[in-house]
Amino acid sequence: MESKIIAIAGGSASGKSTIVDYIKNYFADDLFVMGHDNYYKAHNDIPFEKREKLNYDEPNAFDNEMFIRDLKRLKSGKEIDMPIYDYNIHTRSDKTVHVSPKKIILIEGILVLYDKMIRDITDTMVFVDADSDVRLQRRILRDTKERSRSLDSVLTQYIKQVKPMHEKYVEPTKKYADIIIPRGAKNTRGIEILIKHIEDLLKE
Ligand SMILES: Nc1ncnc2c1ncn2[C@@H]1O[C@H](COP(=O)(O)OP(=O)(O)O)[C@@H](O)[C@H]1O
Ligand SMILES: O=c1ccn([C@@H]2O[C@H](COP(=O)(O)O)[C@@H](O)[C@H]2O)c(=O)[nH]1
């Protein structure tokens, strides 16, 4: 079995995970979600105070060598041990998850369309689009509730790193997308079209 790979990119808090969760529940056993964020470079050698100031929005923040190696293994029907990232401590957790190949692999992350080597092994590329003010509002709520951040740190990181890196690296990858989903997870019709496309891929 050679798996099909679908990439879901888009700005931070655009609704990627919300859409992916919906699709995951729909396809259950035929689909695996491989978060690109799990492949952020591990920084266990750097103290927390320094880790929290690193730039996590530039392409170099990811270990794409490991990501592509694991993705190719899964695509060709082999198993992997996927790392698990912990945003609260800004590094990988000490856990991994053992993953068996599935017919569909959904890869998801802000910069998952950036690297040509990832695009070359991807079957369908999707970009989730959402207004930047809406994304900032959602990021404030999410990161203060779920990622142990203060309001001050979310705003500082947004102005110094998230917004400029989004404009420089994330937004330009929209041109590679086969499907653009405007208004993020609110766009139920767009999500239905993506689900229909995945159903067609499963029949091939
Ligand atoms: N359409 C929506 N309406 C309201 N809140 C939303 C909507 N889509 C996403 N959210 C919330 O916004 C936050 C960011 O969404 P998420 O799916 O995690 O984005 P991403 O994975 O792109 O960073 C989450 O807390 C999520 O529950
Ligand atoms: O240690 C970290 C790693 C990442 N981030 C931020 O996460 C977002 C990407 O996740 P989304 O779910 O797509 O929002 C990225 O913008 C990084 O800034 C972090 O803060 N700390």
PDB file of all heavy atoms in Angstrom, residues 105-126:
ATOM      1  N   ILE A 105      -2.453  10.089   4.799  1.00  0.00           N
ATOM      2  CA  ILE A 105      -1.661  10.781   5.831  1.00  0.00           C
ATOM      3  C   ILE A 105      -1.917  12.273   5.657  1.00  0.00           C
ATOM      4  O   ILE A 105      -1.645  12.845   4.600  1.00  0.00           O
ATOM      5  CB  ILE A 105      -0.154  10.511   5.677  1.00  0.00           C
ATOM      6  CG1 ILE A 105       0.125   9.007   5.687  1.00  0.00           C
ATOM      7  CG2 ILE A 105       0.628  11.192   6.801  1.00  0.00           C
ATOM      8  CD1 ILE A 105       1.514   8.669   5.157  1.00  0.00           C
ATOM      9  N   LEU A 106      -2.462  12.883   6.710  1.00  0.00           N
ATOM     10  CA  LEU A 106      -2.691  14.337   6.693  1.00  0.00           C
ATOM     11  C   LEU A 106      -1.524  14.982   7.399  1.00  0.00           C
ATOM     12  O   LEU A 106      -1.285  14.719   8.576  1.00  0.00           O
ATOM     13  CB  LEU A 106      -3.955  14.664   7.483  1.00  0.00           C
ATOM     14  CG  LEU A 106      -5.285  14.865   6.783  1.00  0.00           C
ATOM     15  CD1 LEU A 106      -6.323  15.366   7.773  1.00  0.00           C
ATOM     16  CD2 LEU A 106      -5.149  15.850   5.669  1.00  0.00           C
ATOM     17  N   ILE A 107      -0.777  15.830   6.701  1.00  0.00           N
ATOM     18  CA  ILE A 107       0.288  16.557   7.382  1.00  0.00           C
ATOM     19  C   ILE A 107      -0.199  17.993   7.587  1.00  0.00           C
ATOM     20  O   ILE A 107      -0.830  18.576   6.705  1.00  0.00           O
ATOM     21  CB  ILE A 107       1.632  16.486   6.612  1.00  0.00           C
ATOM     22  CG1 ILE A 107       1.513  16.989   5.169  1.00  0.00           C
ATOM     23  CG2 ILE A 107       2.172  15.067   6.601  1.00  0.00           C
ATOM     24  CD1 ILE A 107       2.860  17.087   4.451  1.00  0.00           C
ATOM     25  N   GLU A 108       0.056  18.524   8.767  1.00  0.00           N
ATOM     26  CA  GLU A 108      -0.552  19.818   9.118  1.00  0.00           C
ATOM     27  C   GLU A 108       0.457  20.723   9.808  1.00  0.00           C
ATOM     28  O   GLU A 108       1.217  20.266  10.656  1.00  0.00           O
ATOM     29  CB  GLU A 108      -1.749  19.553  10.048  1.00  0.00           C
ATOM     30  CG  GLU A 108      -2.473  20.786  10.513  1.00  0.00           C
ATOM     31  CD  GLU A 108      -2.224  21.079  11.992  1.00  0.00           C
ATOM     32  OE1 GLU A 108      -2.138  20.136  12.805  1.00  0.00           O
ATOM     33  OE2 GLU A 108      -2.111  22.271  12.319  1.00  0.00           O
ATOM     34  N   GLY A 109       0.490  22.017   9.404  1.00  0.00           N
ATOM     35  CA  GLY A 109       1.372  22.955  10.083  1.00  0.00           C
ATOM     36  C   GLY A 109       1.521  24.255   9.306  1.00  0.00           C
ATOM     37  O   GLY A 109       1.237  24.304   8.105  1.00  0.00           O
ATOM     38  N   ILE A 110       2.005  25.297   9.991  1.00  0.00           N
ATOM     39  CA  ILE A 110       2.099  26.622   9.352  1.00  0.00           C
ATOM     40  C   ILE A 110       2.968  26.593   8.093  1.00  0.00           C
ATOM     41  O   ILE A 110       2.675  27.268   7.116  1.00  0.00           O
ATOM     42  CB  ILE A 110       2.629  27.717  10.333  1.00  0.00           C
ATOM     43  CG1 ILE A 110       3.915  27.291  11.033  1.00  0.00           C
ATOM     44  CG2 ILE A 110       1.571  28.118  11.331  1.00  0.00           C
ATOM     45  CD1 ILE A 110       4.591  28.403  11.842  1.00  0.00           C
ATOM     46  N   LEU A 111       4.042  25.779   8.116  1.00  0.00           N
ATOM     47  CA  LEU A 111       5.010  25.829   7.006  1.00  0.00           C
ATOM     48  C   LEU A 111       5.126  24.502   6.258  1.00  0.00           C
ATOM     49  O   LEU A 111       6.153  24.207   5.662  1.00  0.00           O
ATOM     50  CB  LEU A 111       6.376  26.263   7.557  1.00  0.00           C
ATOM     51  CG  LEU A 111       6.439  27.760   7.884  1.00  0.00           C
ATOM     52  CD1 LEU A 111       7.657  28.098   8.737  1.00  0.00           C
ATOM     53  CD2 LEU A 111       6.470  28.588   6.601  1.00  0.00           C
ATOM     54  N   VAL A 112       4.037  23.764   6.255  1.00  0.00           N
ATOM     55  CA  VAL A 112       4.108  22.434   5.658  1.00  0.00           C
ATOM     56  C   VAL A 112       4.161  22.483   4.119  1.00  0.00           C
ATOM     57  O   VAL A 112       4.508  21.488   3.472  1.00  0.00           O
ATOM     58  CB  VAL A 112       2.963  21.564   6.243  1.00  0.00           C
ATOM     59  CG1 VAL A 112       1.683  21.709   5.485  1.00  0.00           C
ATOM     60  CG2 VAL A 112       3.381  20.149   6.438  1.00  0.00           C
ATOM     61  N   LEU A 113       3.894  23.659   3.545  1.00  0.00           N
ATOM     62  CA  LEU A 113       4.030  23.793   2.081  1.00  0.00           C
ATOM     63  C   LEU A 113       5.307  24.523   1.685  1.00  0.00           C
ATOM     64  O   LEU A 113       5.525  24.811   0.515  1.00  0.00           O
ATOM     65  CB  LEU A 113       2.826  24.558   1.490  1.00  0.00           C
ATOM     66  CG  LEU A 113       1.463  23.898   1.585  1.00  0.00           C
ATOM     67  CD1 LEU A 113       0.415  24.748   0.864  1.00  0.00           C
ATOM     68  CD2 LEU A 113       1.488  22.500   0.994  1.00  0.00           C
ATOM     69  N   TYR A 114       6.152  24.847   2.675  1.00  0.00           N
ATOM     70  CA  TYR A 114       7.326  25.683   2.388  1.00  0.00           C
ATOM     71  C   TYR A 114       8.445  24.912   1.666  1.00  0.00           C
ATOM     72  O   TYR A 114       9.039  25.411   0.719  1.00  0.00           O
ATOM     73  CB  TYR A 114       7.863  26.292   3.692  1.00  0.00           C
ATOM     74  CG  TYR A 114       9.016  27.230   3.444  1.00  0.00           C
ATOM     75  CD1 TYR A 114       8.791  28.538   3.035  1.00  0.00           C
ATOM     76  CD2 TYR A 114      10.334  26.793   3.576  1.00  0.00           C
ATOM     77  CE1 TYR A 114       9.846  29.398   2.768  1.00  0.00           C
ATOM     78  CE2 TYR A 114      11.387  27.646   3.316  1.00  0.00           C
ATOM     79  CZ  TYR A 114      11.141  28.944   2.916  1.00  0.00           C
ATOM     80  OH  TYR A 114      12.187  29.778   2.644  1.00  0.00           O
ATOM     81  N   ASP A 115       8.703  23.702   2.134  1.00  0.00           N
ATOM     82  CA  ASP A 115       9.853  22.938   1.645  1.00  0.00           C
ATOM     83  C   ASP A 115       9.465  22.150   0.381  1.00  0.00           C
ATOM     84  O   ASP A 115       8.542  21.342   0.406  1.00  0.00           O
ATOM     85  CB  ASP A 115      10.294  21.986   2.775  1.00  0.00           C
ATOM     86  CG  ASP A 115      11.597  21.275   2.478  1.00  0.00           C
ATOM     87  OD1 ASP A 115      11.864  20.977   1.306  1.00  0.00           O
ATOM     88  OD2 ASP A 115      12.335  20.997   3.440  1.00  0.00           O
ATOM     89  N   LYS A 116      10.210  22.378  -0.704  1.00  0.00           N
ATOM     90  CA  LYS A 116       9.885  21.717  -1.978  1.00  0.00           C
ATOM     91  C   LYS A 116       9.916  20.192  -1.841  1.00  0.00           C
ATOM     92  O   LYS A 116       9.139  19.485  -2.472  1.00  0.00           O
ATOM     93  CB  LYS A 116      10.856  22.174  -3.071  1.00  0.00           C
ATOM     94  CG  LYS A 116      10.515  21.614  -4.432  1.00  0.00           C
ATOM     95  CD  LYS A 116      11.384  22.212  -5.522  1.00  0.00           C
ATOM     96  CE  LYS A 116      10.982  21.708  -6.911  1.00  0.00           C
ATOM     97  NZ  LYS A 116      10.935  20.273  -7.067  1.00  0.00           N
ATOM     98  N   MET A 117      10.823  19.692  -0.983  1.00  0.00           N
ATOM     99  CA  MET A 117      10.917  18.234  -0.838  1.00  0.00           C
ATOM    100  C   MET A 117       9.640  17.664  -0.215  1.00  0.00           C
ATOM    101  O   MET A 117       9.264  16.532  -0.487  1.00  0.00           O
ATOM    102  CB  MET A 117      12.141  17.876   0.008  1.00  0.00           C
ATOM    103  CG  MET A 117      13.420  18.060  -0.785  1.00  0.00           C
ATOM    104  SD  MET A 117      14.821  17.241  -0.057  1.00  0.00           S
ATOM    105  CE  MET A 117      15.091  18.221   1.396  1.00  0.00           C
ATOM    106  N   ILE A 118       8.972  18.473   0.643  1.00  0.00           N
ATOM    107  CA  ILE A 118       7.686  18.023   1.202  1.00  0.00           C
ATOM    108  C   ILE A 118       6.615  18.129   0.110  1.00  0.00           C
ATOM    109  O   ILE A 118       5.828  17.198  -0.103  1.00  0.00           O
ATOM    110  CB  ILE A 118       7.284  18.848   2.455  1.00  0.00           C
ATOM    111  CG1 ILE A 118       8.342  18.709   3.550  1.00  0.00           C
ATOM    112  CG2 ILE A 118       5.907  18.407   2.959  1.00  0.00           C
ATOM    113  CD1 ILE A 118       8.070  19.520   4.807  1.00  0.00           C
ATOM    114  N   ARG A 119       6.620  19.255  -0.604  1.00  0.00           N
ATOM    115  CA  ARG A 119       5.598  19.436  -1.661  1.00  0.00           C
ATOM    116  C   ARG A 119       5.695  18.323  -2.703  1.00  0.00           C
ATOM    117  O   ARG A 119       4.682  17.823  -3.189  1.00  0.00           O
ATOM    118  CB  ARG A 119       5.769  20.795  -2.341  1.00  0.00           C
ATOM    119  CG  ARG A 119       5.506  21.983  -1.433  1.00  0.00           C
ATOM    120  CD  ARG A 119       5.218  23.243  -2.250  1.00  0.00           C
ATOM    121  NE  ARG A 119       6.269  23.594  -3.188  1.00  0.00           N
ATOM    122  CZ  ARG A 119       7.357  24.329  -2.903  1.00  0.00           C
ATOM    123  NH1 ARG A 119       7.531  24.797  -1.685  1.00  0.00           N
ATOM    124  NH2 ARG A 119       8.259  24.612  -3.828  1.00  0.00           N
ATOM    125  N   ASP A 120       6.924  17.899  -3.015  1.00  0.00           N
ATOM    126  CA  ASP A 120       7.112  16.896  -4.071  1.00  0.00           C
ATOM    127  C   ASP A 120       6.529  15.528  -3.716  1.00  0.00           C
ATOM    128  O   ASP A 120       6.240  14.736  -4.609  1.00  0.00           O
ATOM    129  CB  ASP A 120       8.609  16.748  -4.402  1.00  0.00           C
ATOM    130  CG  ASP A 120       9.108  17.914  -5.240  1.00  0.00           C
ATOM    131  OD1 ASP A 120       8.272  18.692  -5.745  1.00  0.00           O
ATOM    132  OD2 ASP A 120      10.347  18.047  -5.390  1.00  0.00           O
ATOM    133  N   ILE A 121       6.396  15.239  -2.414  1.00  0.00           N
ATOM    134  CA  ILE A 121       5.820  13.918  -2.070  1.00  0.00           C
ATOM    135  C   ILE A 121       4.368  14.044  -1.606  1.00  0.00           C
ATOM    136  O   ILE A 121       3.776  13.085  -1.135  1.00  0.00           O
ATOM    137  CB  ILE A 121       6.669  13.153  -1.015  1.00  0.00           C
ATOM    138  CG1 ILE A 121       6.993  14.042   0.194  1.00  0.00           C
ATOM    139  CG2 ILE A 121       7.928  12.577  -1.630  1.00  0.00           C
ATOM    140  CD1 ILE A 121       7.638  13.267   1.340  1.00  0.00           C
ATOM    141  N   THR A 122       3.820  15.258  -1.741  1.00  0.00           N
ATOM    142  CA  THR A 122       2.432  15.495  -1.319  1.00  0.00           C
ATOM    143  C   THR A 122       1.495  15.370  -2.515  1.00  0.00           C
ATOM    144  O   THR A 122       1.799  15.854  -3.599  1.00  0.00           O
ATOM    145  CB  THR A 122       2.333  16.904  -0.683  1.00  0.00           C
ATOM    146  OG1 THR A 122       3.150  16.925   0.490  1.00  0.00           O
ATOM    147  CG2 THR A 122       0.918  17.253  -0.288  1.00  0.00           C
ATOM    148  N   ASP A 123       0.365  14.711  -2.297  1.00  0.00           N
ATOM    149  CA  ASP A 123      -0.593  14.517  -3.400  1.00  0.00           C
ATOM    150  C   ASP A 123      -1.521  15.721  -3.548  1.00  0.00           C
ATOM    151  O   ASP A 123      -1.821  16.138  -4.662  1.00  0.00           O
ATOM    152  CB  ASP A 123      -1.418  13.247  -3.144  1.00  0.00           C
ATOM    153  CG  ASP A 123      -0.528  12.017  -3.200  1.00  0.00           C
ATOM    154  OD1 ASP A 123      -0.238  11.565  -4.301  1.00  0.00           O
ATOM    155  OD2 ASP A 123      -0.081  11.544  -2.134  1.00  0.00           O
ATOM    156  N   THR A 124      -2.004  16.258  -2.412  1.00  0.00           N
ATOM    157  CA  THR A 124      -2.933  17.396  -2.478  1.00  0.00           C
ATOM    158  C   THR A 124      -2.527  18.442  -1.447  1.00  0.00           C
ATOM    159  O   THR A 124      -2.279  18.107  -0.281  1.00  0.00           O
ATOM    160  CB  THR A 124      -4.384  16.931  -2.184  1.00  0.00           C
ATOM    161  OG1 THR A 124      -4.697  15.845  -3.053  1.00  0.00           O
ATOM    162  CG2 THR A 124      -5.380  18.058  -2.407  1.00  0.00           C
ATOM    163  N   MET A 125      -2.455  19.707  -1.892  1.00  0.00           N
ATOM    164  CA  MET A 125      -2.023  20.781  -0.985  1.00  0.00           C
ATOM    165  C   MET A 125      -3.191  21.733  -0.702  1.00  0.00           C
ATOM    166  O   MET A 125      -3.852  22.215  -1.625  1.00  0.00           O
ATOM    167  CB  MET A 125      -0.856  21.532  -1.607  1.00  0.00           C
ATOM    168  CG  MET A 125       0.345  20.628  -1.768  1.00  0.00           C
ATOM    169  SD  MET A 125       1.773  21.485  -2.401  1.00  0.00           S
ATOM    170  CE  MET A 125       1.886  20.759  -4.013  1.00  0.00           C
ATOM    171  N   VAL A 126      -3.411  21.974   0.591  1.00  0.00           N
ATOM    172  CA  VAL A 126      -4.539  22.790   1.032  1.00  0.00           C
ATOM    173  C   VAL A 126      -3.991  23.956   1.859  1.00  0.00           C
ATOM    174  O   VAL A 126      -3.050  23.774   2.642  1.00  0.00           O
ATOM    175  CB  VAL A 126      -5.504  21.946   1.912  1.00  0.00           C
ATOM    176  CG1 VAL A 126      -6.701  22.777   2.379  1.00  0.00           C
ATOM    177  CG2 VAL A 126      -5.964  20.690   1.173  1.00  0.00           C
TER     178      VAL A 126
END
